[in-house]
Amino acid sequence: MTTKYTTDHEYIRVEGATGTVGITLYAQEQLGDIVFVELPSVGKVMKKGDEAAVVESVKAASEIYSPVSGTVTEINTALNGEPGLVNQDPHDGGWIFKIQLSTPTELDGLLGEADYAELTK
Amino acid sequence: MAETSSADLKTTPLSARHEALGGRIVPFAGYGLPVQYPTGIMAEHNWTREHAGLFDVSHMGPSFLRFNETSGDAQADHAAVAALVEPLICGDITNLKPGQVRYSLLLNGDGGVLDDLMIARPAPPEWAGSLYIVVNADTKEADFARIAAAAQGKAKLDRADSCALLALQGPEAVNVMASIAPGATELGFMHYGAFAWNDTTLIIARSGYTGEDGFEILVEPEFAEAFWDLLLSDDRVKPIGLGARDSLRLEAGLPLYGHDLDETVSPVEAGMGFAVSKRRREAADFPGAARILKEHGGDLERIRVGLLVDGAPAREGADILDSHGNKVGTVTSGGFSPTLGRAIALGFVPPSYSAAGTTLGVAVRNRTQSAEVTDTPFVPHRYYRKPKP
């Protein structure tokens, strides 16, 4: 299992050919209280960088981009009733969608733990 | 999530306090102001509804218009200064009672709103011939120039926007104020007075823009930090940023200048017909009277409504759609209501779509979400009105 990050503050935790995507602890702090999450449809095919989801704070809407290309296999429907999970537990209970990677080599272009920590210092 | 440079932003007498409290400073009307403190917008919003929130609104434009040659006859002096501002607005200032505050609208010749403002008549007879006027931050330079020109050299406009202007809002605001300026707790909603505190005078109005009971307090800049600290030393008071200020006023159904009000919107369209005073209507002596009186009679193209939105918040600029998907209006303010736990919005539609209960749609990211027209406020006002004697 490995976790990679984008410069837009999404994370992808990869297990085998599937990645779990959400926003980082830093991102949720910056956004503030999340009041709504628009989830992608299961089966949606996306290219790296496509708009995958939208998280809305009290103030504004922010797009979540897919860190990799692939097909959405699962979405976190718990966020429909409890969008605040993204604030409380962004890396675990607040995950947004799972994606079957079509081009795993794209992971090489993402940030590792140390580089992401440097970015948000 | 881009960081904004704080260079060139104006400060308030409380800027150092916002930094020290961990406020996230953003540019607003040329000032650097906290959008939120570390607790976040939702907690700040709820705290204000349940206890007392403290807001720094020093970016706004408080001022005093003072008649130059007062006669000593309080009634005549008030009438003289009122007559200078009335040609700019649709409110009856002449008949304000001593100590009364009136919400009014500065209008252009087409009846469009240049700004909304508070105008107050001082209570002490020796201050007669002056008015306390508070305008919005974004428009204050133009407003002050307009008022000064209307004074025709007969009165002087003294800006007070170097002072601190604070708002203390919420159900516990009155109990907090009781230990600081007990006299102010005797004020009814939309009344104001001057109260001694330490070696200064506080100008305190029972008013605000959250829908809650509360006060707006003008403080000399050199006393601002001490007064702020005193208020925050009370466990019932927490500092509140611009984010919650906006969500609170939206729940209260109050229009925000530059969003729900602008130079094209008339008072009647904005649902602020109450601000067109009866005496002024009868005299038809205010800017844009022809349009406004026609609209007051029911002949208008659009009107401001409240919307309960299903699903994601519909933000400013979102299209409002009829049941066939045709655009019939535009959202002018929209967001999430922490009190109701759902999305709400203000927008303009033709009167035929404005009845409470009408089902409309809003376009959010190219999809249509259901929205129901509702009466405003979304959350009931809790102003303190004194029983009539």
Side-chain angles (χ1 to χ4, degrees), chain A residues 10-50:
Chain A
E10 292 99 5
Y11 67 80
I12 178 164
R13 192 168 57 243
V14 184
E15 291 168 82
T18 302
T20 302
V21 179
I23 66 170
T24 65
L25 187 67
Y26 173 85
Q28 69 78 26
E29 277 170 9
Q30 293 298 306
L31 291 172
D33 299 307
I34 305 300
V35 298
F36 189 88
V37 181
E38 191 167 300
L39 298 164
S41 318
V42 172
K44 182 177 180 181
V45 177
M46 292 185 293
K47 291 200 298 293
K48 175 182 160 76
D50 281 356

Side-chain angles (χ1 to χ4, degrees), chain B residues 88 106-114 146 262-264 287-288 291:
Chain B
L88 303 178
L106 203 58
L107 300 172
N108 65 25
D110 299 323
V113 178
L114 296 169
R146 206 172 181 85
D262 64 36
E263 292 183 22
T264 72
R291 170 188 177 187

